[in-house]
Amino acid sequence: MARIPSAVVAATGLVGGYGVARWTKKRQLGGVVLAVAGAAAAQQWHKKAGAKAAGALSATYIAAFAGSHPLAKKVGAWPSVLGVAGAVALASWAVADRQG
């Protein structure tokens, strides 16, 4: 079975977490999606690129989530979430997925 790239897992966690929270009107459910995808991506980052890279990418994931909130006030919720998800996916690909 083909493994889903960590960039896709991380971006899906950010987008999916927001989508679930918005559509169910239950922020906690969105948080669960965000956390589960973040943990899955972190495991892949650790396996592919080591502990230091996994720590840095995990911090980037959390910062993207936090940063999407003030950014949403300037550009709107969906553009903000999609933008930070893209940035995290790019970082994940560059650090972990590109290596193979």
Side-chain angles (χ1 to χ4, degrees):
M1 185 165 147
R3 190 163 194 104
I4 299 170
S6 63
V8 173
V9 174
T12 300
L14 289 161
V15 174
Y18 174 69
V20 166
R22 181 171 178 147
W23 291 315
T24 64
K25 301 198 185 327
K26 296 184 190 296
R27 294 177 72 178
Q28 298 86 351
L29 288 179
V32 168
V33 171
L34 180 79
V36 168
Q43 285 182 330
Q44 285 185 276
W45 294 329
H46 188 270
K47 184 176 179 181
K48 291 180 178 181
K52 194 180 268 190
L57 287 168
S58 294
T60 301
Y61 185 81
I62 293 165
F65 167 70
S68 70
H69 292 82
L71 182 60
K73 292 179 181 176
K74 297 183 185 291
V75 301
W78 277 113
S80 173
V81 170
L82 294 173
V84 300
V88 169
L90 181 62
S92 180
W93 174 81
V95 173
D97 295 335
R98 178 174 57 158
Q99 297 172 1

